[in-house]
Amino acid sequence: MSDCLWELFTTQTLWSCLIVAAAALVQATLGFAAAMFGLPLLLWAGNDFVESQVLLVTAMFPQNLFSLWKLRRSIDLREVVLPVAIRTAALPIGIAGLAIVMTWSQGSIQQFVGALILLALGIQTLVGAQWRSARHPLWMGVVFGGSGVLQGISGMSAPPMVLWVHAQRYSHDRARAFLFAIYCSNFIPQILLLWWNFGNAVLHAMAVALLALPCVLLGAMFGLRLGSRLGDRWMRPTMFALLLWIGLSSLLQPWLQAAIFP
């Protein structure tokens, strides 16, 4: 047992803990982007695609729960019931897609992640547009069903939901509370589906994520204060530029590596 615990303390584990703590800060500040920020960095740190997702999902669960409690006065939990039901029903489709992605090479997976980040940023540019039919059942099905598929296949499920939330003209705190509630509700179904499909590697990644818990909660506390103080005016452009750089780097990395080291 002690040998198994000692195996957790590696350089890769240290980097993974620092990355998920930084992702918690980003998530608490903006209400989204933990996976967009953390997933490519965890891949660069040496984790495979499934391990990276489990690290983020597990580490973000206490962060999301803590953040939801801190913002509990900003939300009526009844309004998340239907979105949660739609999103959870779509999760297995995404997990099936993840099983296919795991047959690809590491370079192809990094490019896939980069392309998803750039697509997500493209969707984010629509925030602020007028969406009069945002609460139409068909529109909700597309948004939260698509979000569930994206959550299962990559963990980057926020952009469609952020677009929908901003269409409601929610305040920054209410929007974050809504997103945190949905993230929390899908933790157990997603972990069970991942464990069923990918076995004990999921449990190992969860153990690593738990090591990062103190730093994750500190990042969440700081991020909540920063998000409430600064709002979208300063944080969104800064994070957009950072995520754009990460997305382009992931997408172009195999080609850049081949050019530098032919």
Side-chain angles (χ1 to χ4, degrees):
M1 180 68 176
S2 59
D3 290 340
C4 293
L5 290 174
W6 183 251
E7 289 175 0
L8 292 176
F9 295 93
T10 64
T11 302
Q12 180 177 321
T13 297
L14 175 61
W15 278 112
S16 298
C17 290
L18 292 174
I19 290 167
V20 295
L25 189 151
V26 171
Q27 178 103 333
T29 303
L30 298 178
F32 70 100
M36 293 169 65
F37 175 84
L39 191 60
L41 299 181
L42 288 169
L43 289 172
W44 291 342
N47 301 283
D48 69 27
F49 199 32
V50 170
E51 290 170 343
S52 299
Q53 286 199 50
V54 174
L55 281 165
L56 285 168
V57 170
T58 305
M60 291 307 104
F61 177 68
Q63 181 268 323
N64 289 326
L65 198 61
F66 171 77
S67 300
L68 177 61
W69 181 78
K70 294 289 284 186
L71 297 173
R72 63 192 181 278
R73 294 184 178 87
S74 299
I75 187 174
D76 180 355
L77 290 177
R78 291 173 294 183
E79 68 185 8
V80 306
V81 173
L82 181 57
V84 164
I86 297 171
R87 195 168 185 263
T88 303
L91 264 176
I93 302 173
I95 298 294
L98 175 59
I100 296 173
V101 172
M102 286 301 294
T103 65
W104 300 354
S105 68
Q106 187 74 356
S108 297
I109 291 175
Q110 287 179 333
Q111 288 182 304
F112 174 68
V113 170
L116 283 178
I117 291 173
L118 296 177
L119 175 62
L121 291 177
I123 293 174
Q124 287 298 123
T125 61
L126 297 174
V127 169
Q130 295 288 340
W131 298 95
R132 294 185 178 85
S133 60
R135 285 191 176 272
H136 190 281
L138 178 62
W139 177 237
M140 291 185 68
V142 170
V143 168
F144 294 103
S147 176
V149 172
L150 286 173
Q151 180 66 24
I153 199 170
S154 69
M156 288 185 281
S157 62
M161 296 192 297
V162 171
L163 183 63
W164 187 89
V165 164
H166 279 265
Q168 313 305 310
R169 296 296 184 267
Y170 287 171
S171 69
H172 188 54
D173 282 353
R174 186 180 178 188
R176 288 190 296 166
F178 179 91
L179 294 170
F180 293 144
I182 291 184
Y183 299 148
C184 289
S185 67
N186 284 149
F187 172 73
I188 292 177
Q190 184 173 5
I191 285 295
L192 289 176
L193 285 168
L194 287 168
W195 176 70
W196 178 264
N197 283 273
F198 301 103
N200 289 335
V202 171
L203 301 180
H204 180 272
M206 290 180 71
V208 172
L210 291 176
L211 291 176
L213 185 57
C215 294
V216 166
L217 292 177
L218 284 174
M221 291 173 63
F222 182 73
L224 281 170
R225 291 186 179 182
L226 190 63
S228 295
R229 177 168 296 184
L230 299 180
D232 285 353
R233 182 181 177 185
W234 297 105
M235 291 305 301
R236 189 174 295 276
T238 302
M239 286 308 305
F240 187 94
L242 178 60
L243 292 170
L244 180 62
W245 177 78
I246 292 173
L248 287 172
S249 298
S250 296
L251 183 63
L252 300 177
Q253 184 183 19
W255 298 322
L256 292 174
Q257 188 172 0
I260 297 173
F261 302 105

